[in-house]
Amino acid sequence: MRVREAYAADAELLAQWARTMADETEGLQLDAGTVLAGVEQGIADPSKARYFVAVREVPLAGDEVIAEPVGMLMLTSEWSDWRCGHWWWIQSVYVTPAHRRGGVFRALYAHVYALAAARADVVGLRLYVERGNAAAKAAYASLGMHDAGYDILEAATRDAH
């Protein structure tokens, strides 16, 4: 398993995974064109987002290897005046069903944690999780994450579905 930054050529797959994740976790049917545009813009502009792809290397005959994408994670940044640094938010986590519970998220998390720890301007990692998603909460806790004590509220200014 290795983790790499996403390329423009990954946009369609990552958009499909984002739509699948929204359906699986929240029962939302997101507009394909909107999500694709969002992923394309995020990949093109790191000030908006950074996408990472976990790939499983599959050996073929001889020395040939195929790098099969098996999961993704998106990072966004939030400035904290309290800490004079950035919180990196982990979002849009998706692992293909055949590779769940196989260390894919652990590899993605370890990669972005190392990137964050190497930068003096990043104070930590955050993510949000659906209240009832006990499996995800347990996975995040096993990596050392804890409940930060906040609920997230929102007020949409347009319908995103």
Side-chain angles (χ1 to χ4, degrees), residues 66-147:
I66 293 178
E68 173 191 14
V70 295
M72 74 172 199
L73 173 155
M74 179 183 77
L75 284 182
T76 58
S77 182
E78 172 191 1
W79 179 252
S80 172
D81 56 352
W82 287 13
R83 305 244 175 113
C84 192
H86 296 276
W87 282 102
W88 281 359
W89 280 84
I90 295 171
Q91 300 183 67
S92 294
V93 172
Y94 183 79
V95 176
T96 58
H99 296 93
R100 291 180 184 162
R101 303 197 56 80
V104 176
F105 177 73
R106 183 173 295 278
L108 286 161
Y109 181 83
H111 184 81
V112 298
Y113 186 93
L115 291 175
R119 292 187 45 164
D121 65 334
V122 177
V123 299
L125 300 174
R126 285 185 168 163
L127 58 77
Y128 55 88
V129 60
E130 289 289 314
R131 284 188 188 99
N133 194 339
K137 288 180 181 182
Y140 302 144
S142 76
L143 296 170
M145 299 191 86
H146 63 275
D147 185 334

Side-chain angles (χ1 to χ4, degrees), residues 1 25 27 50 52 71 85 96 144 152:
M1 184 87 54
T25 60
R50 290 176 69 189
F52 295 89
T96 58
I152 294 177

